[in-house]
């Protein structure tokens, strides 16, 4: 099992980083995962373009996972069929794409992953987009979803391996401001304050977020991703049985490295490669 993590893809706008000319998926299988930290954007209105890109992801050798950001079609996303997936509840988009739902904990071969999507749209988005079509009040987690998240973490003794969110906890404000002015669009708010309470109480190896369109180390174990792709460095003991793997993880820390873009030869006659013109 290999786990990669990256930032927003905004439907087809930023999906190029997963194309074969940028991301070397050689040797990967459906036992490997690419996780997107929100603003997936390909569950919006069931358009021809959207369905094309979902087939494009389905044809990849890996499984795509995502938490929701603020740029999602929640009227469609929240009506997808749910399933029990690796110990948590997920929305199944297709056989190779799953939405990791808010407050759920997943077990990926001994690695525990806590998912908590959601973020606030900018004032500009709310002024220029139509409510319920271009932005959705459901982008902010409800009180019930937050209570469920806390219950999940309590059941895990507040100890998880990986946290995936869209926005960052409030304590990361200074680190974000040092590399981007996007906090003018997306200032810290009551939800990032709530995430801060989670950060202060939980024990985790790594926390990844998107949202700010930066690739930056925000703290010693909180990372914002956008264009870059992180590959988790999993302790060697994880290759043992699941029971012993979890025992090993209890005494080990998961790290990551940023992978370099690859220039990879494209297989001939592959109808999904490489980034064909987006159909209307």
């Amino acid at each position: 099992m290999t786990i990669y993590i990256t930032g927003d893809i905004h439907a087809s706008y930023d999906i190029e980083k997963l194309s074969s000319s940028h991301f070397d998926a050689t040797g990967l299988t459906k036992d490997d995962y690419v996780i997107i930290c929100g603003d997936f954007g390909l569950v919006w209105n069931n358009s021809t373009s959207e369905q094309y890109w979902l087939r494009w992801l389905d044809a990849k050798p890996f499984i795509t996972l995502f938490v929701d950001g603020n740029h999602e079609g929640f009227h469609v996303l929240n009506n997808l069929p749910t399933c029990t997936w690796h110990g948590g509840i997920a929305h199944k988009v297709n056989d190779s794409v799953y939405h990791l739902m808010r407050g759920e904990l997943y077990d990926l071969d001994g690695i525990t992953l806590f998912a908590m999507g959601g973020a606030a749209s900018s004032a500009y988005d709310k002024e220029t987009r139509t409510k319920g079509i271009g932005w959705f009040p459901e982008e902010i987690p409800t009180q019930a979803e937050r209570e469920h998240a806390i219950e999940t973490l309590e059941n895990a003794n507040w100890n998880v391996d990986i946290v995936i969110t869209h926005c960052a906890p409030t304590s990361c404000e200074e680190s974000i401001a040092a590399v981007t002015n996007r906090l003018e669009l997306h200032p810290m708010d009551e939800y990032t304050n709530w995430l801060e309470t989670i950060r202060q109480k939980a024990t985790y190896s790594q926390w990844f977020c998107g949202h700010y369109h930066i690739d930056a180390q925000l703290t010693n174990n909180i990372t914002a991703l956008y264009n870059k792709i992180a590959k988790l460095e999993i302790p060697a003991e994880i290759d043992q049985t699941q029971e012993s793997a979890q025992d090993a993880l209890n005494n080990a820390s998961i790290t990551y490295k940023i992978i370099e873009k690859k220039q990879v030869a494209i297989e001939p006659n592959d109808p999904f490669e490489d980034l064909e013109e987006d159909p209307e």
Side-chain angles (χ1 to χ4, degrees):
M1 178 191 69
T2 309
I3 299 175
Y4 297 89
I5 304 170
T6 191
D8 318 17
I9 64 169
H10 303 115
S12 62
Y13 292 100
D14 290 306
I15 205 170
E16 184 178 9
K17 59 194 159 204
L18 299 183
S19 68
S20 294
S21 60
H22 289 76
F23 175 54
D24 186 358
T26 304
L28 298 185
T29 72
K30 295 298 184 180
D31 291 325
D32 303 306
Y33 306 101
V34 172
I35 304 172
I36 296 164
C37 297
D39 279 9
F40 178 68
L42 284 174
V43 180
W44 197 282
N45 58 9
N46 293 316
S47 68
T48 300
S49 172
E50 189 175 291
Q51 294 307 308
Y52 168 83
W53 289 108
L54 288 173
R55 292 195 304 273
W56 185 84
L57 285 173
D58 190 38
K60 294 293 183 182
F62 49 80
I63 296 291
T64 300
L65 309 173
F66 68 97
V67 299
D68 52 276
N70 51 298
H71 291 146
E72 315 289 356
F74 289 99
H75 59 313
V76 177
L77 183 62
N78 290 340
N79 285 297
L80 288 175
T82 59
C83 62
T84 300
W85 189 85
H86 286 264
I89 305 300
H91 282 125
K92 182 177 181 180
V93 181
N94 63 31
D95 288 342
S96 299
V97 180
Y98 292 85
H99 169 225
L100 304 180
M101 295 176 66
R102 296 171 180 175
E104 291 293 317
L105 187 68
Y106 303 92
D107 187 327
L108 303 181
D109 294 341
I111 295 177
T112 53
L113 184 155
F114 175 70
M116 193 66 200
S121 288
S122 67
Y124 175 81
D125 278 355
K126 292 180 179 180
E127 290 169 1
T128 58
R129 301 185 182 199
T130 303
K131 181 179 179 180
I133 298 176
W135 77 274
F136 300 84
E138 295 91 336
E139 65 189 20
I140 297 295
T142 64
Q143 183 62 32
E145 288 171 329
R146 299 184 201 199
E147 290 174 358
H148 171 62
I150 290 172
E151 181 181 8
T152 297
L153 289 168
E154 287 177 343
N155 289 338
N157 294 317
W158 290 89
N159 190 346
V160 300
D161 296 311
I162 304 297
V163 177
I164 304 290
T165 61
H166 186 51
C167 54
T170 297
S171 61
C172 295
E173 181 175 19
E174 184 175 340
S175 297
I176 296 169
V179 293
T180 182
N181 62 0
R182 286 191 68 84
L183 288 177
E184 296 175 8
L185 286 174
H186 298 293
M188 296 304 180
D189 56 22
E190 65 81 24
Y191 179 50
T192 66
N193 290 343
W194 183 83
L195 287 176
E196 180 62 24
T197 66
I198 300 300
R199 185 199 69 80
Q200 292 175 8
K201 193 167 184 178
T203 299
Y204 54 90
S205 286
Q206 299 292 335
W207 180 319
F208 296 94
C209 66
H211 194 44
Y212 305 102
H213 297 189
I214 58 174
D215 296 289
Q217 191 75 41
L218 303 180
T219 73
N220 66 320
N221 60 352
I222 301 180
T223 305
L225 293 170
Y226 183 36
N227 288 314
K228 293 185 177 180
I229 299 174
K231 179 183 179 182
L232 291 190
E233 297 284 288
I234 301 167
E237 293 87 348
I238 196 66
D239 292 329
Q240 299 174 12
T241 65
Q242 182 146 332
E243 182 178 356
S244 61
Q246 188 58 59
D247 289 341
L249 281 169
N250 289 338
N251 297 301
S253 180
I254 297 171
T255 59
Y256 74 91
K257 68 177 180 180
I258 298 296
I259 64 170
E260 300 297 325
K261 287 184 178 180
K262 301 290 185 181
Q263 295 299 324
V264 182
I266 300 168
E267 291 295 324
N269 303 318
D270 184 344
F272 292 105
E273 290 296 355
D274 193 10
L275 290 173
E276 296 180 11
E277 183 178 354
D278 195 353
E280 295 296 330

